[in-house]
Amino acid sequence: MYDVIVIGAGPAGVNAAIEADNLGYSVLIIDEQGSAGGQVWRNKSSSIIDAPKTETSIKGNALRDALMSSNVSVKYEARVWHIEKCDTIWNIHIENDVLTSKNLIIATGAYERIIPIPGWTLPGVIGLAGATALFKEHMMVPGHKTVVAGSGPLLFYVANEIERLGGTVEAIVSLNSRFDWLKSLLIMITQPILLWQGFKWVTAFYKKTIWQSAPIKFEGADHIELVKIKKVDDDWKPIGKEQILEADSVCYGQGLIPAIEASRLAGAEHHYDETLGGWVPTIDDMGRTSIEGLFVCGDNAGILGALAAPIRGKNAAQAINKNGVVYDIGKFERFGKAMTALSIPRAGLLNLIDTDTDVCRCEGVTRKEIEHEIITGAQSPNAIKSGTRCGMGPCGGRFCADAQAMINEHVTGKTREDIGLPTARPPLRPMPMDQITEELNYDDLPIPGVSPL
Amino acid sequence: MTNTYDIAIIGGGIMGCGAALRIKEGGMDPVVIDQGDIGQGASGVNAGTLSMQIKRVKLMPYAIKGHHEWQLMGEKVGFKKTGGLTLAFNDREAELLQERMTMKRDAGADITFVNPKKVEEIEPHLAKKIVAASFCPDDGYANSSLSGQYYRGRLTDENIDTIERFQVSEININSNGYEISSGDQVIKATRILIACGGLTKHVAAMLGEDLPIRARINTVSVTERAPRIMNGVIGHATGLLTMKQKDNGTVLIGGGWQGKGTPEEGRGAINPETLLPNLQLAQFAVPTLSKVRVVRSWTGFEANVPDFYPLAGRLGEKDNAYILGCVRGGYTIGPYISKLMGDLILGREPEMPLFDPNRVFNEDKLI
Ligand SMILES: Cc1cc2nc3c(=O)[nH]c(=O)nc-3n(C[C@H](O)[C@H](O)[C@H](O)COP(=O)(O)OP(=O)(O)OC[C@H]3O[C@@H](n4cnc5c(N)ncnc54)[C@H](O)[C@@H]3O)c2cc1C
């Protein structure tokens, strides 16, 4: 039994773990990856371990070193598939083992929002965040001629990394206008270093950036070849003439969505806040949730990015104690929110989702099918899921829930809060049956009595 | 909502929707009320097994009729008649199987006993540890996820009003009938049918009736799509396993293992202490399942009274108040027993006897 279990070893989780350790608690940190670092400070694979250092690899190494020299126990390559609170104790189920703790800190990060447009599942089209994993872990570029498209700061970061690693950026297709960026940069005025970085990114690709535009279609025989784009209005509705770009690869995404499956399974209250990326656990300024002994930090508590994450992690550890100290994240919060604001979906985006496009790629459910289900009366996410299978596949709805809700919002006029979320169910990740169970000794099968005859 | 319906049906599961269709057909004007969307309770999350071999002996005639109803609904509800095996892995289970299946056969189910060699022909992927088995060619399944879509469509086609997202919190009786309220919204009706699944006790209490209903919390799991590993429904002599592989390759695993929670608190949660034995038993029976990934496990509530027979009839001493629920194997039997219930409400003689809710409940015995 630990005092504290932390799920997720990104910058928020690791800092939470170390802070909790400093406070004298016994701590275990769990991650499904092979080492700490999370998405942003992801470790390099062993084949590229000698590659030149980058800012993120330096920060990542510092994080890993700090964790190593602490008393925090670690468990990597461990997938948490279920979380339950029994009386005052947390049971954390990983593979066929159960770990227990008095407190639980969830730091599961975020995943990307990808608006489904025709051709989005073509080979060669990858997510923006997925692309960053390629760079960090394998130092690979997605192709030779890459279109980077979507919204928010990741566009420029990804473009920058592609060229640093020897790839060619054909164009950046940015939903955001220059004016959107100007507004965001202004918020960073108190943060000269960040402002400088943002300014550097944007100016480096200024000429290659097609502002206020969006891909409307990805085309290719069996791999991406062409990207068709259009200008968008202030509402992000595509307008005007089509323009065609050639590409052998596309990095595509519209910002990040908090990964809340774990905190929902743990029973915490959530609410919808578009300025934080969508549905988030309802918390105080330190990360205390509605459930005693449950804390959240990092992007899963609202997208504020890597700079805010370490402080949010420390706060979550401090929150265990009623009189814990609060570290100020004010400036990082402002910065994080300014970046998140660039990706708040606008109503016109829905026009990009063609009626025959698969919204749910696991089950092949189109926008038309979802709309039909809603128009004929299914309104809750559970009912839409039941009728169409949208979100029933292995991804558990991670990649389609947001688009499905956008469609629902459009058809019914309801708010996201009113639409709600489907019931949270385990496992948190698809789990091979023999990995979560022991082999059965048949005579030990607990038979609770046979059914009435 | 100024008009007065002939009957307000509280609960839009199979029971409530089935009754509504019959009642409308008989010339009355019903309204179906649900706190959520139609068909998202037990009727939408159950394992969908339409197996004669897991039905209770006395309910067999109802199950056979119910099965026929599902067959008529056909593709729209994902109906499949695949045949099904029930397995015994040791002598004790073989004895149990022999006794139980003989009684079910005598009650009208087409059940035969098959030897292990025949079992292997029917299901080549089964573990070679089977001591005895029974087979029923009628067994099959439907897709419970489609209950909501199906019944919503039927209610619309028949011009039956549905009021969804209306959580009944109070029911008042006056000289004209019933006033059913949720907050400050009121629905009026001359008659009332309570068909609230796991919450039936809770809603009956709004009329002052205290029924000895408890809710079981059944667990079901589904896997990712897998290559064909089973052809029909697979069950276990104790009833603790039901499995079938859908056309899309996903395998549904149930068996009535009990999760946690109460219907009043929400949708319940799985209990790893029962989920894992359920999955162990599944792999024991079909070893190739062990590499297949479980995608989701969930729970649903199934109400029952101490004798495990249905509540289907007049509620207490009240005029024009009825109750329908606690039907074991209610997915299979629902479409039929709800017709009988409709007939009773229409003042017709039901084709088969119903189950008096005012009976004395002895443990597991019908009086
Ligand atoms: C997990 C599970 C697996 C099962 N597997 C099988 C199987 O394989 N084969 C089989 O034959 N049977 C199976 N069953 C049994 C079968 O599902 C049920 O008997 C049947 O669906 C019950 O139907 P119902 O209409 O009575 O209840 P429900 O479908 O639960 O409908 C009740 C409705 O009442 C509504 N309601 C409740 N309270 C209120 C209120 N206050 N105001 C308004 N509305 C309200 C609810 O929202 C709900 O929609 C299973 C049951 C479960 C839970």
Side-chain angles (χ1 to χ4, degrees), chain B residues 69 92 117 129 190-191 310 329 347:
Chain B
E69 298 285 333
R92 187 173 46 85
K117 198 166 151 269
K129 299 171 191 158
T190 317
R191 301 169 189 79

Side-chain angles (χ1 to χ4, degrees), chain B residues 10-16 33-37 39-43 45-49 55 166-168 195-199 203 206 218-220 299-302 324-325 327 329-332:
Chain B
I10 310 179
I14 292 178
M15 300 300 169
I33 302 166
D34 203 289
Q35 61 182 5
D37 288 69
Q40 290 299 311
S43 303
V45 303
N46 68 70
T49 318
K55 292 299 163 308
F166 186 103
Q167 184 170 40
V168 176
C196 292
L199 283 160
V203 177
M206 295 177 196
N218 295 342
T219 306
V220 185
T299 51
F301 294 106
E302 189 185 25
L324 175 59
V327 186
Y331 183 68
T332 314

Side-chain angles (χ1 to χ4, degrees), chain B residues 11-74:
Chain B
I14 292 178
M15 300 300 169
C17 293
L21 289 166
R22 185 64 156 197
I23 288 167
K24 179 80 178 190
E25 195 190 305
M28 280 192 191
D29 182 25
V31 59
V32 177
I33 302 166
D34 203 289
Q35 61 182 5
D37 288 69
I38 295 280
Q40 290 299 311
S43 303
V45 303
N46 68 70
T49 318
L50 304 171
S51 163
M52 296 302 119
Q53 295 184 79
I54 54 173
K55 292 299 163 308
R56 300 194 65 186
V57 173
K58 285 213 174 78
L59 295 180
M60 197 61 75
Y62 301 83
I64 292 169
K65 293 275 193 178
H67 188 281
H68 183 65
E69 298 285 333
W70 284 107
Q71 188 152 7
L72 293 177
M73 294 185 242

